[in-house]
Amino acid sequence: MTSEQVDKGTAPEEGYERGLGSRQVQMIAIGGAVGVGLFLGAGANIAKAGPSLILMYALAGVIIFFIMRALGELLLYRPVSGSFAEYSREFLGPFFGYFTGWTYWLMWVVTGMAELTAAAIYVNYWFPAVPQWVTALVFLVILFGVNLISVKLFGELEFWFSMVKVTALIGMIVIGLGVLTFGFSSAGDTAAVSNLWAFDGFFPKGIGSSLMTLQGVMFAYLAVELVGVTAGESEDPEKTLPKAINTLPWRIALFYVGALTVILCVVKWTEFAAGVSPFVKAFAEIGIPAGAGIVNFVVLTAALSSCNSGMYSTGRMLRTLADNGEAPRAFQKLSSTKTPAFGITVSVGFMAIGVVLNYIVPEKAFGYVTSVATAAGIWTWLMILVSHVLYRRAVVAGRLPASAFPAPGGAKCSYVAIAFLLFVTGLIAYDSESRICLYVMAGWAVALGIGWAVLKARNPEVTQRREPELDRVG
């Protein structure tokens, strides 16, 4: 660091363009908290847990807030792009940074595979004659171009994607409250708050069945940590990142807990089933013209938003890995528009393979892909939390400066969140259908272990712990 940077408490530039303003970072944070997991996945989970799913989303939402406050404290201590891998590297050692970086890359690549094919299926709703692979390829090329042009264009597209999702959810909540209050629409006669307990109680399938939905609920929250990847390209990370993280509780309360509560009051839980969006079902019950088409457009937007975010984050993570000698040096280069173009291109290449695979293999592949993404996401969250605990110890011992955005309760909430994530991992291992993702992750760990051994043999310096170049912010 230069003496001027130390005096100002700012991080040196990583070569990226700081092109993400407050408005875009806020919407990226909101978009990350509202995805296809809510719009589509909630239907199957309602069928399994009934109204108690609301409580599961609220419980998981509290844990997600703990994770994000832990990440926020680390980000204001040292804001860098590819933050999760960097903090794992600093506090746990080079291997954990390497493992976390590649695992987060895997999470977004497999998510991109699923989302592209899902987007093509949604378009088939309007244009059934268009081959699915053609639509997927068109979306892949468009989003690829957006990510290569500039981070500002990525941020702007993500802003509008998120705006569509947020507007749709708020509209659903307002309409649902209108039905409950004034009794209009074809659902007015049966809509009532008592629907939350009138059909076999709030836990109709038992507490155990409700807890088993937590793995699906956690998938719905994947990408909420994406705001951490934007740290290296935010115009004013000291202000925008805390604001984005602190507004997370009301976003979860409104978009997840609020939306599901209203839907389950308007339509009794026994009406929902797997494979049907609860939002489509609710619009159909209320009798809104073109309601299914509206929701289909919103879900398409959610899928494209997720794929867009995946292309953004994979390129940045590959560059972080290359900077540390853990990926080919070609990934280090930035294009003339200050984007990691080569890393994005390679990642998109893998996503394109996924389009072909998802076209060939049965639908069950989607479930496997999302479960692998969840397992990779849980690892990322665990690394954030463990890094935070170790950072707090270093602050208390006087080895590191305190962050300008300390997490409430210090490391205590991080310990609670770690225990919760380990519990969810246990649920995944218990469930025969989702257990396969743990086998995939075990194979992934072996592959990365072999890669690490090769790295160590070729360049021992890469595998040695070293001091971070960026010290603090705030």
Side-chain angles (χ1 to χ4, degrees), residues 100-118 140 143 219 222-223 225-226 303 305-318 321 331 342-358 365-366 368-374 376-377 380 440-441 444:
T100 301
W102 278 110
T103 301
Y104 195 65
W105 176 83
L106 173 72
M107 184 194 99
W108 274 113
V109 166
V110 295
T111 300
M113 290 178 185
E115 302 291 12
L116 273 173
T117 311
L140 185 74
L143 294 178
F219 172 72
L222 281 187
E225 77 293 325
L226 182 66
S305 171
S306 181
C307 190
N308 190 40
S309 297
M311 289 183 189
Y312 170 85
S313 57
T314 50
R316 273 73 185 169
M317 197 56 73
L318 285 178
L321 288 163
F331 291 126
F342 185 64
I344 294 171
T345 303
V346 170
S347 301
V348 168
F350 278 95
M351 289 181 190
I353 294 170
V355 172
V356 176
L357 288 174
N358 276 300
F366 279 108
Y368 295 150
V369 165
T370 54
S371 66
V372 170
T374 303
T380 300
V440 172
M441 290 304 294
W444 176 249

Side-chain angles (χ1 to χ4, degrees), residues 86-444:
E86 279 299 304
Y87 302 136
S88 300
R89 183 173 291 106
E90 179 179 351
F91 295 106
L92 289 154
F95 175 76
F96 286 92
Y98 158 84
F99 195 99
T100 301
W102 278 110
T103 301
Y104 195 65
W105 176 83
L106 173 72
M107 184 194 99
W108 274 113
V109 166
V110 295
T111 300
M113 290 178 185
E115 302 291 12
L116 273 173
T117 311
I121 292 170
Y122 303 145
V123 170
N124 274 5
Y125 174 84
W126 294 296
F127 306 104
V130 178
Q132 189 174 305
W133 69 270
V134 172
T135 312
L137 184 61
V138 169
F139 284 140
L140 185 74
V141 171
I142 291 172
L143 294 178
F144 177 46
V146 165
N147 274 272
L148 287 186
I149 292 169
S150 75
V151 70
K152 282 185 178 179
L153 187 57
F154 157 78
E156 199 60 32
L157 190 62
E158 198 58 30
F159 174 85
W160 289 108
F161 277 156
S162 296
M163 185 66 80
V164 169
K165 292 187 285 187
V166 169
T167 302
L169 279 174
I170 292 174
M172 180 71 241
I173 292 169
V174 170
I175 292 168
L177 289 174
V179 171
L180 286 168
T181 306
F182 302 108
F184 64 79
S185 89
S186 53
D189 295 336
T190 55
V193 176
S194 59
N195 283 344
L196 295 178
W197 60 82
F199 301 93
D200 296 325
F202 190 70
F203 291 91
K205 300 286 184 78
I207 294 177
S209 183
S210 299
L211 290 174
M212 288 304 294
T213 65
L214 280 173
Q215 39 187 315
V217 168
M218 295 309 287
F219 172 72
Y221 284 122
L222 281 187
V224 71
E225 77 293 325
L226 182 66
V227 69
V229 184
T230 70
E233 291 166 281
S234 300
E235 287 177 354
D236 191 358
E238 298 94 327
K239 293 181 180 178
T240 56
L241 296 178
K243 188 177 178 183
I245 292 169
N246 276 336
T247 54
L248 186 66
W250 73 257
R251 294 199 304 269
I252 289 172
L254 179 65
F255 299 136
Y256 281 92
V257 179
L260 280 176
T261 300
V262 169
I263 284 175
L264 289 172
C265 287
V266 172
V267 184
K268 56 186 180 183
W269 74 268
T270 53
E271 300 287 324
F272 297 99
V276 178
S277 168
F279 294 88
V280 171
K281 180 70 177 175
F283 270 75
E285 288 286 326
I286 292 170
I288 294 175
I294 293 169
V295 174
N296 195 69
F297 174 72
V298 173
V299 175
L300 169 63
T301 303
L304 293 177
S305 171
S306 181
C307 190
N308 190 40
S309 297
M311 289 183 189
Y312 170 85
S313 57
T314 50
R316 273 73 185 169
M317 197 56 73
L318 285 178
R319 185 172 185 239
T320 297
L321 288 163
D323 282 341
N324 287 280
E326 297 160 356
R329 286 185 179 180
F331 291 126
Q332 280 183 290
K333 296 177 182 177
L334 291 177
S335 68
S336 58
T337 57
K338 296 187 178 180
T339 61
F342 185 64
I344 294 171
T345 303
V346 170
S347 301
V348 168
F350 278 95
M351 289 181 190
I353 294 170
V355 172
V356 176
L357 288 174
N358 276 300
Y359 179 72
I360 297 170
V361 296
E363 276 184 29
K364 209 161 189 179
F366 279 108
Y368 295 150
V369 165
T370 54
S371 66
V372 170
T374 303
I378 287 175
W379 172 268
T380 300
W381 290 336
L382 280 171
M383 289 301 97
I384 291 170
L385 293 165
V386 173
S387 296
H388 177 249
V389 168
L390 296 175
Y391 166 70
R392 291 293 305 182
R393 286 183 186 172
V395 170
V396 171
R399 295 193 302 271
L400 289 175
S403 170
F405 187 47
K412 295 185 184 70
C413 292
S414 289
Y415 281 118
V416 172
I418 289 169
F420 180 86
L421 292 178
L422 292 176
F423 174 68
V424 173
T425 304
L427 293 177
I428 293 173
Y430 180 76
D431 187 348
S432 59
E433 287 189 11
S434 60
R435 192 183 301 149
I436 188 171
C437 75
L438 297 182
Y439 300 142
V440 172
M441 290 304 294
W444 176 249

